[in-house]
């Protein structure tokens, strides 16, 4: 399965830098921002605390079996960097 990697950087109002990748297939490209926001919510970072946010396409690659399974189950995979 070919997937697309979106390099995501968030700076909170308190100065915390959060860096992660959002991995999706062709079917879910339009939902990358939504998946990033869901992940931040799981980290308990509310939108009001985000000072800067960047989520840019980085590259495409062949997904590992684990990432393929996550995308099949939830539409995306997140890798915390």
């Amino acid at each position: 399965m070919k997937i697309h990697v979106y390099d995501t950087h968030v700076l909170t109002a308190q100065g915390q830098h959060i860096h992660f990748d959002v991995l999706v297939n062709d079917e879910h490209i339009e939902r990358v921002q939504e998946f990033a926001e869901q992940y931040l919510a799981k980290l308990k970072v509310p939108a009001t605390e985000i000072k800067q946010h960047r989520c840019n396409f980085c590259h495409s690659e062949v997904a590992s079996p684990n990432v393929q399974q996550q995308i099949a189950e939830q539409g995306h995979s997140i890798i915390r960097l």
Side-chain angles (χ1 to χ4, degrees):
M1 169 192 294
K2 182 178 175 183
I3 53 112
H4 310 290
V5 179
Y6 286 80
D7 187 40
T8 308
H9 294 265
V10 174
L11 182 62
T12 68
Q14 291 78 26
Q16 179 186 16
H17 179 246
I18 303 169
H19 183 200
F20 58 95
D21 286 343
V22 180
L23 289 68
V24 296
N25 60 11
D26 289 335
E27 183 180 340
H28 294 101
I29 287 175
E30 301 82 28
R31 297 183 63 197
V32 169
Q33 185 69 32
E34 172 189 345
F35 294 142
E37 290 170 3
Q38 288 173 2
Y39 179 69
L40 290 168
K42 285 181 185 178
L43 296 178
K44 304 207 183 306
V45 178
T48 57
E49 291 296 313
I50 296 173
K51 185 175 179 181
Q52 293 178 335
H53 182 260
R54 178 170 48 98
C55 187
N56 297 330
F57 173 75
C58 183
H59 66 278
S60 298
E61 63 184 48
V62 175
S64 69
N66 184 41
V67 169
Q68 288 183 36
Q69 181 179 355
Q70 289 176 357
I71 290 174
E73 292 173 358
Q74 53 195 26
H76 70 287
S77 179
I78 301 285
I79 298 176
R80 179 85 186 249
L81 303 168

